Structures are given as C-alpha cells and as structure tokens.
Amino acid sequence: QVQLVESGGGLVQPGGSLRLSCAASGSIADYSLIGWFRQAPGKEREGISCLTGDSGTTFYHESVKGRFTMSRDYASNTVYLQINNLKPEDTGVYYCAADLALCGDYQIAYFGSWGQGTQVTVSS
C-alpha cells in the first residue's frame, strides 16, 4: 500500500543523538497506527515505539523510555524517532511500519511487509 523509507541512521558515540526519519511515498491515514521497531544483532525484531492515530498517544519499550521520542509531521507525511543518550545496546537496524495490528504498553505488533531499515551503530 504505502511505501515507507527509513533514514537517519549512522555511527555515533555513546551519549550521542540521532533523529531517524520514516518517509511515506503515499499518504498515511490519520487513524493509522505507526510504529518503530529494531533488530539488534543476534536478536529478534522488537517493537520499541508506536503512536495511535486516534488519541495521538505514544508508547515506548521500557529499554528506550525517556530517551526516545516518536513524532509525526502530517505536512511532510513523515514519522520521526528522536533518539537521545544512545547506548551500545541500542545498536541495530531500525524499521518503521504503518497500520500496526497492536499498539500499547505491552503490545506493539505488525504483520505486514518490512523495508530495509536504517542501521544505527553506537560505538566509541
């Protein structure tokens, strides 16, 4: 349906910051549940943040809470993930997805197709 392209990743030092972008080639519905996922080396892909389309409420995985901030720019049809105080364990490939099946404190799920993601590497 809608094509999403992640960008903004890179190599940063611990304590540094990054802003990841998720650009949509097509319009994302206002009610759509949007989420960010990441896959650390040797681990399964996990949901780290999501945003509801109705209330605009955001949810975060405990490991990123307080450091990551998700937002959406309707004008540019872009979703962002501001990442502060990066830690080595934040290293991984980050993905965004639209039309999530679940978005909440304990459930962030997506059953659609994945893009290529953007690599985030935290190292000295």
Side-chain angles (χ1 to χ4, degrees), residues 14-31:
S17 299
L18 283 174
R19 176 176 286 180
L20 307 185
S21 298
C22 176
S25 60
S27 179
I28 304 175
D30 293 344
Y31 58 82

Side-chain angles (χ1 to χ4, degrees), residues 6-9 17-23 34-38 46-51 58-61 64-65 67-73 78-84 86 90 93-96 118 120:
E6 303 92 341
S7 63
S17 299
L18 283 174
R19 176 176 286 180
L20 307 185
S21 298
C22 176
I34 314 297
W36 283 95
F37 299 75
R38 74 180 176 189
E46 63 178 354
I48 56 172
S49 181
C50 64
L51 185 150
T58 53
F59 298 93
Y60 301 93
H61 189 277
V64 307
K65 192 174 183 179
R67 299 186 298 116
F68 289 22
T69 303
M70 185 178 176
S71 61
R72 178 177 179 177
D73 186 341
T78 305
V79 180
Y80 299 98
L81 184 66
Q82 178 67 42
I83 310 175
N84 298 323
L86 280 159
D90 292 321
V93 180
Y94 285 69
Y95 306 84
C96 64
T118 183
V120 172

Side-chain angles (χ1 to χ4, degrees), residues 5 8 10 13 20 27-28 44 53 55 57 63 67 80 92 98 101 112-113 115-116 119:
V5 180
Q13 296 184 102
L20 307 185
S27 179
I28 304 175
E44 193 173 279
S55 65
T57 304
S63 65
R67 299 186 298 116
Y80 299 98
S113 299
Q116 296 187 35
Q119 176 72 44

